Amino acid sequence: MTMTCSYAGCTAETTGRCVLGNDPANCPQRDGAPGEETVVVVDDRDVTAEVEAQEVEAPASEIAAPVLEAPIRDFFRLALGGQLGLRAIQRIGSDRPLRMIGILGPPNSGKTAILVSLFLLLSKHKLARIRFRNSDSLFALNDLSRGARDWDADGKRLATITDHTSLDDPRRPGFLHFRVRAEKLGKAVDLVFPDLPGEWSDNLIDKGYDAHLDFMKSARALWVFVDGSALIDPVRRQNAVDRTRKLLGRIASCIPLPADAPILVVVTRRDEMDEVPEDQLELIMDEAKRRKLPVEIILVASVSNREGIENGHGIEELLEASLVIPAEKLNDEAVALPSAPTPSRQMLRYRSVAR
Amino acid sequence: MTAVVDRSVVLIGGHDTGKSNYLARLWLALRKGDGILSVQDDPENIEYVKSLIRSLQSGQYAARTSQDDHPRLFEGVVQAQSGTAGEQDVQIVVPDVYGELWEKASEQREISNEWLERVRKASGALLFVRLGSSHHIELIDWITSPALMGAPMAPHLAQKGTPTQIFLTDMVNFLDTNLGLDTTLPPRLSIVVAAWDLLPPEQKDDRPRDFLAANYPLLDGRLDNSRRLSVNVFATSITGGDLATQQHRDFFLQSSADKEGFVVYNDAKGNRREVRDLTVPVAWAIGIELPETD
């Protein structure tokens, strides 16, 4: 049987040569190699969180490795650069430390928009302390940014920034990858974000936990989205707060995160607020305290129509708050510690009591 | 007889990024003989390059490369004058091919095994970015340009092709995995920012790498993330000015095509250097160390 390899871009099956420089017979990327069946998300403390692998077919977006001899192809396939499945995340994680930032939130709360905004900000070097290094989802991010605007016939921007997220397989998550250099960490870090439809969060709230959310337990930080425009709407705000509180309850009972994994409640559409709805935010914080969750609220605007609120408002702070420096490395002189927040930045952030 | 060292260099870039024009100017520099690389004998398959040179010598940039996948091979023995290593003979092979091949590879996510083999056997590559190219495609900028918020989006959404920054970053990803894989040499990538003469006067003293950081942040960031590649950035002008302007074209025709043009780069100490030797990007790509500031 022909030896096959699951590493994107490797032609070992036809050339016998491993692009990673390994002995093809013993390369861990080789299909059938030991340990392939667990998803290992490794952070820079070498603490592994093993997630039980799911017996699934490789999705169409991944390069499928044939298991039988195949004719020699005339063309070499490049890595697709699209959304990544769990197997692709596994491959990245086996090669270098990886941090997953979990994302939950109802439909139309701005989950995808923030990732698109992050990508475009990086593409224009608009972030002061975070720099792009690479992405294995380059084309997926480009596609999302191109499909990012809905306009009416008069050319006026509609409320929906990005197309509604849907998955090729409605039960399997797709991930977006960023490799960035963060001043806070003093080095580059690989981040993956699940791009999930809001219905997954609705189902979590309404129907309870489902095993296909197991990957969330490996998250090194968790973003819980709230549509900020709902919090300032008298008709919608009570339901928005209620749903968020229930979601925090599900997280507390069903998604045991690492002790130092921050939970960020991301309140979107900051530009639509004349005043920050502090009373509504307090209700959310009260629930976080009751659940003993280490929650911080950050207000963001993926795109802004308001003077004084810039496009991407709060995104850099959100990302930095998600990058936790391991305790044993806080004495490392090479690690830059965050500066004390300025008064204006304090308005962005509300912090509950830590665990 | 001095042993001949084998090297090959691939030219990579979208169409209208200046690869063929650079090849023509490279040959003129080789023949002139006062650069790091020089040539004494005509290489094989010279007719293709001579046709490019004729265009330049008549005050015109070379016409669009024929659109097929077959490479035009520029192949010959050059003498490499390296400060510490003395002189050595280097067999260089430079396949030129139309830029759409690389764009098509990026869009369709596949490349022929023939070209994959060329890249894997190459010791270096030149990746071209050209100022002022009409084929440059921007990422849709609605996030970072408030003015664009109120502008009609239809023209932007109708724009076909991969944004240039995405394409370039993708090519670096491809090269970082494959360049020189079948050789024992550490692979080198020369980023060539072509048509540097089009910059406004106040920017012409900028460092090429700073230009990339300001205008191509994704590519710039990716260059700091190479696993296997050594990278250097060269700004070039093959004619010393824009032949589309009558004034410069008149000047150019009064001069000589092998006298005009320059290369800007940072030497190993980080000092900005501007030289007239158009062989520099290729010399570095094949492993020759560049002279430092005196």
Side-chain angles (χ1 to χ4, degrees):
Chain A
M1 186 167 70
T2 301
M3 184 273 295
T4 58
C5 178
S6 60
Y7 187 85
C10 184
T11 59
E13 63 187 269
T14 52
T15 66
R17 187 181 179 120
C18 171
V19 294
L20 297 177
N22 296 329
D23 175 359
N26 299 315
C27 177
Q29 303 293 335
R30 173 185 166 185
D31 285 344
E36 180 188 79
E37 294 172 352
T38 57
V39 174
V40 176
V41 178
V42 181
D43 69 9
D44 50 8
R45 298 177 299 175
D46 291 332
V47 172
T48 57
E50 291 188 317
V51 177
E52 189 175 334
Q54 300 168 15
E55 289 288 337
V56 293
E57 293 181 3
S61 60
E62 290 185 348
I63 297 172
V67 295
L68 300 176
E69 277 197 17
I72 293 175
R73 298 179 298 201
D74 292 332
F75 286 85
F76 170 76
R77 273 191 285 182
L78 306 180
L80 290 174
Q83 277 204 354
L84 306 176
L86 278 171
R87 281 186 69 188
I89 300 300
Q90 176 187 357
R91 285 196 293 266
I92 297 173
S94 68
D95 187 41
R96 53 192 189 267
L98 194 66
R99 298 187 187 210
M100 182 179 63
I101 296 180
I103 293 182
L104 292 169
N108 197 35
S109 54
K111 300 183 295 299
T112 304
I114 207 168
L115 298 178
V116 172
S117 183
L118 173 62
F119 175 63
L120 292 175
L121 290 166
L122 289 169
S123 77
K124 289 291 183 179
H125 196 2
K126 289 291 186 181
L127 300 181
R129 298 174 298 281
I130 296 176
R131 296 283 309 280
F132 178 84
R133 284 294 178 260
N134 201 5
S135 171
D136 285 4
S137 316
L138 212 52
F139 290 89
L141 289 166
N142 180 52
D143 288 344
L144 284 173
S145 70
R146 285 184 56 78
R149 302 308 304 273
D150 285 323
W151 297 84
D152 64 17
D154 296 325
K156 186 179 174 183
R157 179 174 67 89
L158 297 177
T160 304
I161 298 295
T162 51
D163 289 341
H164 185 77
T165 301
S166 59
L167 300 172
D168 289 338
D169 181 339
R171 292 187 58 79
R172 298 180 65 241
F175 294 84
L176 297 171
H177 169 252
F178 290 81
R179 181 169 171 83
V180 296
R181 190 185 188 284
E183 273 185 28
K184 176 180 178 180
L185 300 178
K187 63 178 183 177
V189 62
D190 285 272
L191 304 173
V192 289
F193 301 86
D195 189 24
L196 305 178
E199 287 78 11
W200 283 42
S201 297
D202 281 348
N203 288 339
L204 174 62
I205 294 170
D206 298 327
K207 299 178 183 176
Y209 187 76
D210 190 292
H212 66 266
L213 281 171
D214 276 350
F215 69 91
M216 284 286 191
K217 296 174 184 173
S218 301
R220 298 293 294 125
L222 184 62
W223 294 357
V224 179
F225 279 73
V226 183
D227 179 0
S229 69
L231 294 182
I232 59 173
D233 181 348
V235 173
R236 294 186 292 151
R237 65 185 176 195
Q238 291 183 66
N239 185 59
V241 170
D242 186 51
R243 299 286 289 177
T244 304
R245 295 174 67 173
K246 287 181 178 174
L247 186 53
L248 289 175
R250 291 293 194 201
I251 291 167
S253 61
C254 305
I255 305 180
L257 297 172
D260 62 349
I263 299 174
L264 294 309
V265 172
V266 185
V267 179
T268 58
R269 299 189 172 100
R270 169 66 180 90
D271 62 305
E272 297 187 24
M273 302 173 185
D274 292 331
E275 300 284 338
V276 174
E278 294 191 24
D279 51 346
Q280 307 303 310
L281 299 182
E282 284 299 323
L283 293 174
I284 295 172
M285 290 304 294
D286 286 344
E287 184 68 18
K289 290 175 194 171
R290 191 172 79 86
R291 299 286 185 175
K292 296 183 173 53
L293 292 173
V295 163
E296 187 171 346
I297 295 179
I298 295 184
L299 286 84
V300 301
S302 295
V303 63
S304 175
N305 245 341
R306 180 182 290 264
E307 193 174 333
I309 303 287
E310 75 283 10
N311 287 317
H313 177 86
I315 289 179
E316 188 163 35
E317 287 78 7
L318 172 64
L319 201 53
E320 287 182 315
S322 308
L323 300 177
V324 174
I325 300 170
E328 61 268 26
K329 292 196 175 180
L330 280 175
N331 292 325
D332 186 343
E333 290 179 3
V335 174
L337 294 176
S339 57
T342 62
S344 61
R345 287 177 61 189
Q346 283 175 334
M347 287 300 295
L348 290 175
R349 311 174 74 152
Y350 300 75
R351 186 171 293 175
S352 74
V353 176
R355 287 198 187 108
Chain B
M1 181 160 43
T2 312
V4 179
V5 178
D6 276 333
R7 295 285 185 269
S8 71
V9 177
V10 286
L11 307 185
I12 296 182
H15 68 287
D16 193 37
T17 52
K19 299 184 297 301
S20 296
N21 279 287
Y22 174 77
L23 195 58
R25 186 62 183 85
L26 172 67
W27 165 241
L28 289 172
L30 290 170
R31 196 172 59 183
K32 190 165 188 281
D34 59 358
I36 295 177
L37 302 178
S38 61
V39 64
Q40 291 188 348
D41 300 315
D42 277 356
E44 297 177 11
N45 304 312
I46 194 66
E47 277 310 310
Y48 164 64
V49 179
K50 281 186 173 176
S51 70
L52 299 175
I53 291 172
R54 280 195 290 274
S55 291
L56 270 186
Q57 290 173 329
S58 64
Q60 295 175 331
Y61 296 114
R64 186 180 174 83
T65 309
S66 172
Q67 293 190 55
D68 60 52
D69 289 3
H70 298 297
R72 272 64 172 170
L73 292 180
F74 179 78
E75 183 172 3
V77 177
V78 301
Q79 283 71 51
Q81 187 71 36
S82 172
T84 53
E87 191 172 284
Q88 57 179 327
D89 287 347
V90 181
Q91 169 86 18
I92 66 168
V93 179
V94 184
D96 186 28
V97 73
Y98 76 111
E100 282 88 341
L101 177 137
W102 301 111
E103 291 169 342
K104 191 167 70 172
S106 181
E107 284 176 24
Q108 297 181 356
R109 313 310 300 151
E110 63 180 18
I111 190 168
S112 69
N113 284 332
E114 176 193 354
W115 276 100
L116 176 68
E117 194 176 328
R118 288 186 185 282
V119 170
R120 288 186 169 180
K121 289 181 175 176
S123 54
L126 273 61
L127 177 61
F128 285 77
V129 178
R130 189 169 82 80
L131 273 73
S133 172
S134 59
H135 297 282
H136 176 86
I137 301 175
E138 279 285 352
L139 274 160
I140 291 181
D141 194 20
W142 55 270
I143 279 290
T144 57
S145 172
L148 205 60
M149 293 296 294
M153 286 298 292
H156 297 275
L157 292 175
Q159 192 180 47
K160 295 193 190 321
T162 304
T164 301
Q165 277 211 83
I166 302 281
F167 167 74
L168 292 169
T169 306
D170 185 41
M171 286 293 101
V172 174
N173 282 337
F174 168 66
L175 292 170
D176 208 0
T177 302
N178 292 286
L179 184 64
L181 201 61
D182 291 344
T183 73
T184 57
L185 303 166
R188 287 186 167 193
L189 173 62
S190 293
I191 306 293
V192 177
V193 183
W196 193 251
D197 47 81
L198 291 182
L199 276 183
E202 63 272 16
Q203 292 181 33
K204 282 189 177 155
D205 290 337
D206 288 355
R207 301 188 331 160
R209 187 63 193 266
D210 293 339
F211 171 83
L212 280 189
N215 294 278
Y216 298 89
L218 296 183
L219 172 63
D220 180 65
R222 180 59 182 88
L223 296 180
D224 282 336
N225 194 55
S226 291
R227 290 181 156 203
R228 299 172 56 244
L229 300 173
S230 292
V231 180
N232 210 339
V233 183
F234 301 92
T236 65
S237 170
I238 63 168
T239 55
D242 187 5
L243 292 181
T245 61
Q246 192 63 47
Q247 182 181 10
H248 185 71
R249 186 166 183 266
D250 290 343
F251 165 79
F252 184 81
L253 290 173
Q254 292 297 318
S255 177
S256 174
D258 63 0
K259 286 184 181 175
E260 303 305 325
F262 57 83
V263 178
V264 178
Y265 65 98
N266 282 24
D267 64 21
K269 291 181 179 175
N271 299 311
R272 184 182 186 279
R273 297 203 74 194
E274 181 169 328
V275 299
R276 289 190 174 274
D277 179 8
L278 271 294
T279 73
V280 161
V282 173
W284 188 82
I286 62 174
I288 294 172
E289 298 309 324
L290 303 179
E292 293 177 0
T293 311
D294 294 331

